[in-house]
Amino acid sequence: MALAQQAPQSGADLSASSDGSEIIVTAQKRSENLQNVPIAIQALTSAKLDQLNVTNFNSYTQQLPSIVSQSAGTPGTNVIYMRGVASGGDGNHSGSQPSVGVYLDEQPVTTIGGNLDVHVYDIARIESLAGPQGTLYGASSEAGTIRIITNKPDATGFSASVDSQINTVEKGGQGGNIEGMVNIPLSPRAAVRVVGFYRKDAGYIDNVAGTRCFLPTPGGICVNNAALVKNNFNDTDVYGGRAALKVDLDDNWTVTPSAMIQETKSHGIYSFDPSVGDLQVQRFFPDFRNDRFWQGALTIEGKIGSWDLTSATAYLDRKTSSSSDYTDYAEAYDSIYAASGGVAGYLYFQDAAGKTIDSRQKVIGGDHFKMFSQELRVASPADQPVRLVAGAFYQFQSNDIEQDYQVAGLAPLLSVNGRAGTLWLTQQHRVDKNYAAFGELSWDIASTLTLTAGGRLFKYDNSLVGFFGFGRDPAFVQGADNANPPNGVGSTRTGVAGCFTQSGVRLREAQLAGQADTTLLPPEVAGGPCTNLGTFANGEVNPVRAKGDGVTWRFNGTWKPQQGLLFYATASRGFRPGGNNRRGDFGDYKPDYLVNYELGAKVKLGAMRLNAALYQQEWKNFQFSYLGPNSFTVITNGPNARIRGFDVDATFQLERLNINIAAAYTDAKTRNNLCRTVEQGVNCTGADVQAPAGTRLPITPQLKMAGTARYTAPVGAAKVYGQFNFAYQSEASSDLRVAFAARQGRLPAFGTVNLAIGSDWTNYSVELFASNIFDVRGQLSRSVSCGACTDRPYIFPTAPRTIGLRTGAKF
């Protein structure tokens, strides 16, 4: 379903006609009028993105009612959900694959651990495809797909643009951006297009002075954060560029190589602690996140006879590094162990001299994500009564994962082996492989009736190997004094204790059995002390693997009784691959599947466009991620869920006034109990029931809406306009587990209003805008630092009121 658009800027991909009456999309791997595509789509074209001042992920998802997200507190860590297919807790780098696919042009850029927050400039359109897209888009499109389509090089003429913005944020700092594009014809058959950008997002979260004191009282350790106190400490710098070369080899074949690079440097966190104050936190170690990615892509399009052939090849390389304050963990566990004198009395946070030290931690993290993808497909002529799209797909993803939980001054003999001061270490290598063959066949059995059937045969092979946990030799002492603890928490089970010895027996079991030689095998992943995540065979450790295959499908019937009127019925199936838990005692988690039944209508009558869809989805044994023992992520297959809802999008184009309203209603509930035990079922009772049957799925509000009214009037050589935009969403739960959600807090309903007034000339534009004019503190998500940290939940809010000035020039 589409939001009405104005004409695209000069040099833009022609996604919309000059009067906005026709929007071209490629959701079905063909260029088609959106009103003729029998699936639920919202499309934000180039002009609409510019009108709404969209620059990043959060700003465009506010305008897409079927999409919500859950943030880990900084840009690039959002987990995307569509149509209520959300169990919460996803996004861990060792966890489930996403349920929503993200594409940049023809290439997938779906990454585990947070979406790629592509800077939005010189973009032809953003397509949001709701519902399973598993036939044409595969594994990570179980619930839907987002496609970011860039403007392509244009050999018909030179064009360029430059745009800038300055803004100030209520209770925050100042920001702005500078962006530019140049399109240069090289010949009648070749052109190059280059884009560059820099954006400064102003901070608005204050790190205020605070103190933490740990047991015993008196005599415990007290610390303060005086050295880190700073107003507006969550600012972000984003910079990068894109370049594409388009060459028409002849009338039938086109080659388009492209490249993009972007770096995002975020300071602080984008969440606040309501127990401290509005837009305030107390952080005791530096918080930052650097996110750098580059992508190279090659698209080849041509004809073999009358058939279209497309080859899409891409390689993505993404590196992130971060530092996070983990003081809340120490605070929570000091309270848990209060009866034993807190952490100081119950655990072993000591220096080399045996003196009790500050137990606070900071987490130094890093991920190196690589992805290669190749798709080859053919399409029969679009003007024939029988049409086929078919192809093959291969994707290889890897991720090198490091999480270093550091405690300053921790004794080497209480640290992870060879890493003094490291209490806990995750050092892992993950590989996800996907193979698929797909096809969709459409048959016009009458001039007004089309039937479509499609399927995708898939195979996945996912693996994980490495180390996680605490350090040292378990060194069992069967006595009460435990004079030589193996690590800072006295654990003899997690970490080095589980590493493989040369005999293939894990260290703990070897010691308990009295094995004489307990020499550990060298680590499979560099940087770790040994390997405890894997399987032993023939003298070496191999990755744990999760493999599977299956089929997804889509059936559709489309009826077009007259011009401007389309009705459709769809049944479709999507899936998400299974995988391995790091902790062997939790076993593997299996794939989950989503079956969607949908009725839709698309109406275009004169100045009015109305698109709507009514659906019911069955989500089978959905993957449920949560912070388990020792506060690390565990994934299990939960119960089934039933999701009902509708999407609607209405646009009215009057002489000078354009009005658009889009809304999504979602009723998503579990069909069975969510049980505390690993084996899910309907028979658990009492305290073992974490969410009874009928519990609403989290994160997604029942109602989300967005609307825009834009009035344009000619004044001399200028077009002067005023624009009103609003977004609203109802309340939602922050977590599926009922008791945990009550402690963490619900997400209340909120609405925001944005205003803009400006003027466009042939080559210049100027605009004064105000977003969130009532300074509403909308809560997009809530989170805690650890599973036991619910006394200090964090709120990820909408940005405060922002007032700014935009200018632009086209050449």
Side-chain angles (χ1 to χ4, degrees), residues 358-654:
D358 177 6
S359 64
R360 292 175 304 135
Q361 302 170 44
K362 65 178 178 180
V363 186
I364 304 300
D367 287 88
H368 189 182
F369 185 92
K370 303 175 184 178
M371 178 165 61
F372 171 81
S373 64
Q374 172 66 57
E375 179 171 301
L376 184 67
R377 68 176 185 271
V378 295
S380 65
D383 59 355
Q384 296 300 306
V386 178
R387 299 174 298 281
L388 174 69
V389 175
F393 176 80
Y394 170 71
Q395 181 173 282
F396 178 95
Q397 305 176 68
S398 69
N399 192 11
D400 293 313
I401 305 164
E402 180 174 9
Q403 293 280 294
D404 187 348
Y405 292 70
Q406 298 181 357
V407 177
L410 186 66
L413 291 179
L414 297 174
S415 304
V416 172
N417 305 34
R419 301 179 72 126
T422 293
L423 177 68
W424 172 288
L425 179 68
T426 297
Q427 198 84 40
Q428 297 170 352
H429 179 68
R430 173 175 181 163
V431 173
D432 295 81
K433 300 177 186 177
N434 292 282
Y435 313 80
F438 62 89
E440 271 198 357
L441 182 69
S442 297
W443 178 25
D444 297 335
I445 62 175
S447 60
T448 60
L449 185 62
T450 301
L451 298 179
T452 298
R456 188 180 187 101
L457 301 173
F458 66 83
K459 180 180 180 180
Y460 66 88
D461 183 356
N462 303 335
S463 64
L464 192 61
V465 68
F467 174 84
F468 69 97
F470 303 108
R472 310 315 306 172
D473 186 316
F476 296 101
V477 177
Q478 301 300 322
D481 59 347
N482 199 7
N484 298 295
N487 45 61
V489 299
S491 173
T492 60
R493 296 179 180 273
T494 303
V496 173
C499 282
F500 289 99
T501 65
Q502 290 182 339
S503 66
V505 180
R506 295 181 185 269
L507 179 58
R508 175 183 170 86
E509 283 70 29
Q511 286 189 331
L512 288 173
Q515 183 173 307
D517 183 4
T518 57
T519 303
L520 296 173
L521 286 170
E524 291 295 316
V525 178
C530 48
T531 303
N532 59 9
L533 177 58
T535 60
F536 181 85
N538 301 319
E540 62 181 12
V541 180
N542 300 310
V544 294
R545 308 186 81 90
K547 304 170 70 173
D549 54 54
V551 62
T552 58
W553 41 260
R554 175 176 176 260
F555 300 99
N556 177 272
T558 304
W559 180 43
K560 301 178 182 176
Q562 65 182 56
Q563 182 70 26
L565 195 59
L566 178 149
F567 300 96
Y568 68 87
T570 294
S572 56
R573 187 192 199 209
F575 89 105
R576 183 166 48 164
N580 300 99
N581 277 294
R582 289 176 287 175
R583 288 185 57 144
D585 51 344
F586 281 89
D588 300 340
Y589 55 94
K590 305 303 179 185
D592 59 14
Y593 294 89
L594 182 74
V595 177
N596 174 60
Y597 304 98
E598 183 172 329
L599 297 174
K602 298 194 171 186
V603 180
K604 178 66 172 69
L605 297 175
M608 184 270 290
R609 179 192 291 120
L610 176 64
N611 296 344
L614 180 70
Y615 63 87
Q616 174 162 316
Q617 300 180 133
E618 301 291 339
W619 196 11
K620 303 291 185 179
N621 300 120
F622 60 76
Q623 294 170 16
F624 176 61
S625 302
Y626 65 97
L627 292 176
N630 297 116
S631 290
F632 71 71
T633 301
V634 173
I635 306 100
T636 66
N637 286 92
N640 300 332
R642 184 269 299 150
I643 305 168
R644 293 174 180 161
F646 65 82
D647 308 320
V648 62
D649 183 9
T651 297
F652 305 90
Q653 179 66 61
L654 306 178

